[in-house]
Amino acid sequence: MLKRQNPSTPQRSRDLAADGGALSMSHNDSRSFFNLSQLVLSAGQIKPSPALKHSKITYFEVEIVDVQSKKQICIVDKVPPASTILDVKHKFHKACPQWYPSRVGLQLERNGPFLKDSISIQSLAVSSIVTLYFTDLGQQVGWTTFFLTEYTGPLLIYLLFYIRLSTIYDQVESRKNFRHPVVHLACFCHCLHYIRHLLETLFVHKFSEGHTPLKNMIKGCAFYWGFTSWIAYYINHPRYTPPSFGHKQVSYAALAFLMCEAGNHFINVALAHQTNSGNRTCFPSPTYNPFTWLFLLVSCPNYTYEAGSWISFTVMTQTLPVGIFAFLMVIQMSLWAQKKHKLYLKRFYPEVRRKAAMIPIIF
């Protein structure tokens, strides 16, 4: 009989080790799969990574229509939402080079007000197409140029009459007659007034980048230059007679004139300081400077001082042309003061409601 051979001990050990290793590996794989399943179940459903969304910028199309004929002039396309009316004017100028941005007036409605350059297109848009009405504002000039031209003319014109050109006055008569001191004082005060205006235009006032029609500058120059010629002709005439009350009238009027000029300057400096500091949330308040205390009574003390200067100049020279000019200036400045006072009432009602516009009680 054949005997079954028992495997040797080393061989049996290897077989047992192999069987045990296989069982161990199978047990580990099952345990790992179980742990992975528990992890998936506890974490929830596996979500795919979100796809990156590409930001889309919405552009506007601005249709420019002539306000008179209602015909389309051009379409300014691809206007970003953050663009302003000024940006549209520049794009419109590129499409139509004959229309400079300064002379372009754009309206949202035909009879509506002109839109400010700082207004954004997005605030006006109801749809992707914005219709604006175009008006030619004519030749424009900057505000600095406007005031420099308006104030330089009276200064030079008065000096021409003061030196008594032979083409204006009779040369023989000019040499014979003695000039009263008030003539020299009037020249000093008149020049001081317009030199102050020129210096404040350059160094005190901060004008916007807006423009004004050239015809407005022509009208302003005609008014100031014309009246200056009339005033200077009478005051510097060889036959000019001094004021009725003599030295006292001249002295007191000149002192009042200088005080009004100083007050006007300090008020303009205070208003400019408030604008530069960005503190526009409250009404300008008086400071330690006594000339600014007029803020307690009126909302536009600069116009009060300006009117006081011309009234004082009228009393000092006692001439009819100066009186007419002062009367017209008081009327014009009272209208400006009333308009500005209404704006102050909307912005600073509790502080302004008890104040007058320019002259207490009267205006």
Side-chain angles (χ1 to χ4, degrees):
M1 295 179 63
L2 297 174
K3 296 182 180 179
R4 187 173 57 186
Q5 297 180 352
N6 295 327
S8 61
T9 302
Q11 182 66 28
R12 190 191 309 180
S13 300
R14 285 195 297 270
D15 293 339
L16 289 173
D19 293 340
L23 291 173
S24 176
M25 289 178 64
S26 176
H27 179 70
N28 290 339
D29 289 342
S30 299
R31 187 177 185 86
S32 299
F33 180 78
F34 175 78
N35 292 338
L36 180 61
S37 300
Q38 292 295 324
L39 179 63
V40 170
L41 291 175
S42 62
Q45 185 179 359
I46 299 178
K47 297 180 180 180
S49 58
L52 295 177
K53 295 182 179 181
H54 298 283
S55 59
K56 295 182 180 180
I57 301 177
T58 304
Y59 291 98
F60 294 99
E61 290 186 356
V62 180
E63 180 188 20
I64 308 295
V65 179
D66 185 78
V67 71
Q68 298 294 337
S69 62
K70 299 182 183 180
K71 294 182 179 179
Q72 183 189 97
I73 300 177
C74 71
I75 293 180
V76 181
D77 57 353
K78 293 185 178 180
V79 178
S83 297
T84 61
I85 292 295
L86 183 60
D87 298 329
V88 174
K89 289 182 180 180
H90 284 288
K91 290 180 177 291
F92 178 55
H93 173 58
K94 290 182 179 179
C96 304
Q98 70 272 24
W99 306 118
Y100 293 94
S102 60
R103 65 184 299 169
V104 173
L106 297 178
Q107 302 162 273
L108 192 60
E109 300 176 356
R110 289 190 64 195
N111 298 324
F114 291 109
L115 300 173
K116 295 182 179 180
D117 291 343
S118 58
I119 296 178
S120 64
I121 292 298
Q122 191 173 15
S123 63
L124 303 174
V126 179
S127 62
S128 59
I129 300 178
V130 181
T131 302
L132 297 178
Y133 294 93
F134 161 75
T135 300
D136 180 18
L137 300 178
Q139 187 66 37
Q140 304 287 301
V141 293
W143 284 109
T144 302
T145 304
F146 176 88
F147 287 112
L148 289 178
T149 306
E150 194 174 66
Y151 296 142
T152 303
L155 179 64
L156 299 178
I157 290 172
Y158 197 97
L159 291 175
L160 291 178
F161 282 90
Y162 176 73
I163 62 177
R164 290 182 175 178
L165 295 177
S166 58
T167 55
I168 301 176
Y169 304 110
D170 182 71
Q171 195 68 19
V172 177
E173 191 175 18
S174 299
R175 291 176 182 176
K176 287 182 180 179
N177 291 359
F178 171 75
R179 288 196 189 188
H180 193 274
V182 71
V183 176
H184 305 291
L185 183 60
C187 180
F188 169 77
C189 292
H190 191 276
C191 293
L192 176 66
H193 178 79
Y194 284 102
I195 289 174
R196 178 184 64 81
H197 274 302
L198 290 172
L199 293 178
E200 288 177 353
T201 300
L202 294 173
F203 304 109
V204 177
H205 298 300
K206 300 297 180 182
F207 300 105
S208 63
E209 297 181 357
H211 298 78
T212 185
L214 179 63
K215 60 181 180 181
N216 289 347
M217 189 180 75
I218 294 175
K219 290 190 293 184
C221 290
F223 177 78
Y224 279 98
W225 295 15
F227 263 103
T228 300
S229 302
W230 191 23
I231 291 170
Y233 176 80
Y234 274 87
I235 295 177
N236 296 286
H237 199 280
R239 296 182 182 180
Y240 169 76
T241 55
S244 303
F245 296 96
H247 180 71
K248 283 188 177 181
Q249 179 178 342
V250 173
S251 301
Y252 291 142
L255 181 61
F257 177 87
L258 294 176
M259 291 180 64
C260 289
E261 287 294 303
N264 201 340
H265 172 70
F266 287 120
I267 292 296
N268 289 332
V269 170
L271 293 174
H273 177 72
Q274 183 195 29
T275 303
N276 296 338
S277 61
N279 185 19
R280 298 185 180 183
T281 58
C282 59
F283 183 76
S285 58
T287 62
Y288 62 88
N289 190 335
F291 290 102
T292 62
W293 295 350
L294 199 57
F295 273 122
L296 297 172
L297 301 176
V298 296
S299 59
C300 303
N302 52 330
Y303 295 138
T304 307
Y305 282 123
E306 184 79 8
S309 294
W310 286 113
I311 294 174
S312 302
F313 194 77
T314 303
V315 175
M316 182 178 65
T317 58
Q318 195 174 315
T319 53
L320 179 63
V322 181
I324 296 175
F325 180 73
F327 176 73
L328 295 177
M329 288 295 290
V330 169
I331 293 177
Q332 180 61 68
M333 285 183 290
S334 66
L335 296 176
W336 290 339
Q338 287 286 348
K339 184 178 180 180
K340 199 170 184 180
H341 185 70
K342 291 180 180 178
L343 296 177
Y344 282 151
L345 285 175
K346 293 180 180 179
R347 296 174 58 187
F348 319 112
Y349 175 73
E351 302 173 78
V352 184
R353 65 187 180 91
R354 295 185 180 274
K355 302 179 188 295
M358 189 178 81
I359 301 176
I361 301 175
I362 300 176
F363 296 115

